[in-house]
Amino acid sequence: MSAEKHQIISDMLSLAKADNIMHEREYDFILVIAQRIGVSKEKVDELISNPLKSHVFSTELQRITQFHRLLLLMNVDQETHIVEVNALRNYGLKLGIRPEAIEQILNEMGDHENKMIPSGRLVEIFKRFYN
């Protein structure tokens, strides 16, 4: 299980560095997630220098949850760069998220305060494309 937790953090760090700048808010957000899942700050700092090779999670729920984490991370610094959007899109595709769901989510971000789509709305989008 710890390898999976390290993968979650490593993927988040990769997205945070997609624009070649890791903002303090991004780092702090990653630390909050790391703490919640039982990954130490020291391990987070190690993963910054030595990221894990990206891995696709086994269950659909894990993949959707990771996509949601990455979406939140992308918007936490309130600066959305095209390179981050493209990195999130590509990662979503790699996770097996349907392209239509990714595009709808990315298109709807601007409709919500701080580009944060409420989790209930995300559930609606995923239900639409997965049922």
Side-chain angles (χ1 to χ4, degrees), residues 29-89:
F29 180 76
I30 291 168
L31 287 178
V32 167
I33 298 298
Q35 180 183 20
R36 286 185 184 170
I37 64 173
V39 176
S40 70
K41 180 185 181 305
E42 293 74 24
K43 185 62 180 181
V44 171
D45 292 339
E46 178 187 324
L47 289 169
I48 290 172
S49 302
N50 301 304
L52 300 176
K53 184 179 178 204
S54 192
H55 167 77
V56 176
F57 297 97
S58 57
T59 71
E60 186 175 80
L61 179 60
Q62 289 172 314
R63 293 189 302 266
I64 289 171
T65 300
Q66 182 67 349
F67 184 79
H68 186 218
R69 283 187 199 105
L70 295 171
L71 178 67
L72 292 171
L73 173 65
M74 182 177 72
N75 291 312
V76 77
D77 64 356
Q78 298 180 354
E79 294 179 25
T80 306
H81 301 278
I82 190 70
V83 69
E84 292 173 317
V85 172
N86 288 335
L88 180 64
R89 180 182 288 118

Side-chain angles (χ1 to χ4, degrees), residues 86-105:
N86 288 335
L88 180 64
R89 180 182 288 118
N90 289 335
Y91 192 76
L93 293 171
K94 185 176 181 180
L95 286 171
I97 306 292
R98 293 183 128 182
E100 302 88 354
I102 294 169
E103 292 310 314
Q104 184 167 352
I105 290 165

Side-chain angles (χ1 to χ4, degrees), residues 103-116:
E103 292 310 314
Q104 184 167 352
I105 290 165
L106 293 174
N107 289 332
E108 283 191 27
M109 282 187 333
D111 298 341
H112 301 280
E113 184 177 345
N114 297 322
K115 298 182 183 177
M116 299 291 190

